[in-house]
Amino acid sequence: RPESMDAWDLYVQALPLVYSTSASNHTNAIALLDRAIAIEPDYAPALALAAWAREKRRSVGGVHEINDVEDSLGLAQRAFDIDPDDPMVMGLLGFLRISFRRDYSGLDLCNRAVALNPNNILVLNFATVAHSLAGDLDEMIACATRALELSPGSPDTYVCLHDIACGHVMAGRFEDALYWARRSIAINNSYAFAHLDVAVANAHLGRVDEAREAIVR
């Protein structure tokens, strides 16, 4: 137990900001988490969340800071070195290795993380993306479906719904993809990836006007 709870307090303040789709919120989260790490340099959850915030600022927020990739990987590795048995830390590092470097050793980390804690939605989300990038669509959809079943009211349910839609797009099941993508959009209309699902599925189905409308959105 630390003498001060300040680092934990900063971590908790950062959590909802990291979960958002706003680059400015991601940047604010990074500032809070960097302060937490300055107080407790070996605080693995803060290191991992700081890594994820940088990844989300790039992939979701659309802001490409020059050092974010290396900083994200470095922070995640530090967190894993400190606490190699934390499933969230393990899954994040695996996800980042595949996402940023196409280093498929990350898939083993994600699978181990799911085995350690199959009821952790964040771990399942990391594994979902890892399996999608590795081309294992059945496992991708299974992980996303499991996360959705565990917490259908989670604030980031739209991510799971998009992941399922994306798996169906990649498998050529375009009507199924539209069903899941529209559910994602109904929860968060500002999530660009779900609109991309709609665009691609409609394009494959020959619905050009609907595809163009989704691209504009």
Side-chain angles (χ1 to χ4, degrees):
R1 182 185 297 275
E3 293 181 5
S4 168
M5 299 297 288
D6 291 347
W8 177 84
D9 182 69
L10 291 163
Y11 172 84
V12 172
Q13 290 182 54
L15 273 172
L17 300 177
V18 176
Y19 273 94
S20 82
T21 57
S22 162
S24 61
N25 280 344
H26 301 150
T27 297
N28 291 336
I30 289 166
L32 291 168
L33 292 162
D34 286 351
R35 286 170 57 195
I37 294 164
I39 296 169
E40 296 285 347
D42 293 337
Y43 188 18
L47 289 162
L49 197 64
W52 191 33
R54 285 167 168 83
E55 186 278 330
K56 286 200 72 174
R57 177 164 66 178
R58 184 180 182 88
S59 69
V60 178
V63 175
H64 288 207
E65 293 288 343
I66 191 168
N67 294 321
D68 271 355
V69 171
E70 293 303 326
D71 288 348
S72 182
L73 287 165
L75 287 162
Q77 185 65 56
R78 277 177 60 190
F80 183 71
D81 291 342
I82 291 165
D83 193 352
D85 296 321
D86 184 322
M88 192 277 282
V89 170
M90 186 184 298
L92 173 67
L93 179 59
F95 155 69
L96 292 177
R97 283 182 179 177
I98 294 178
S99 182
F100 283 146
R101 293 287 181 253
R102 296 300 187 264
D103 175 358
Y104 292 98
S105 66
L107 191 59
D108 178 60
L109 288 172
C110 288
N111 288 335
R112 285 166 54 198
V114 171
L116 282 170
N117 192 347
N119 298 316
N120 185 308
I121 297 170
L122 190 53
V123 167
L124 288 164
N125 286 342
F126 291 145
T128 296
V129 179
H131 284 292
S132 74
L133 294 173
D136 188 346
L137 304 185
D138 289 341
E139 194 61 31
M140 171 192 181
I141 292 173
C143 287
T145 301
R146 170 71 175 161
L148 184 63
E149 290 170 347
L150 283 169
S151 186
S154 173
D156 61 343
T157 296
Y158 63 90
V159 176
C160 298
L161 294 166
H162 148 69
D163 288 336
I164 296 170
C166 185
H168 286 301
V169 166
M170 294 166 71
R173 297 185 289 265
F174 303 118
E175 291 289 1
D176 290 337
L178 286 172
Y179 168 77
W180 292 101
R182 286 167 179 157
R183 286 185 60 184
S184 177
I185 291 167
I187 294 171
N188 186 350
N189 190 49
S190 68
Y191 192 52
F193 293 117
H195 291 288
L196 289 172
D197 295 331
V198 171
V200 174
N202 275 317
H204 278 287
L205 291 168
R207 301 166 187 166
V208 178
D209 289 342
E210 291 90 337
R212 286 175 174 160
E213 182 183 355
I215 289 293
V216 169
R217 287 182 180 176

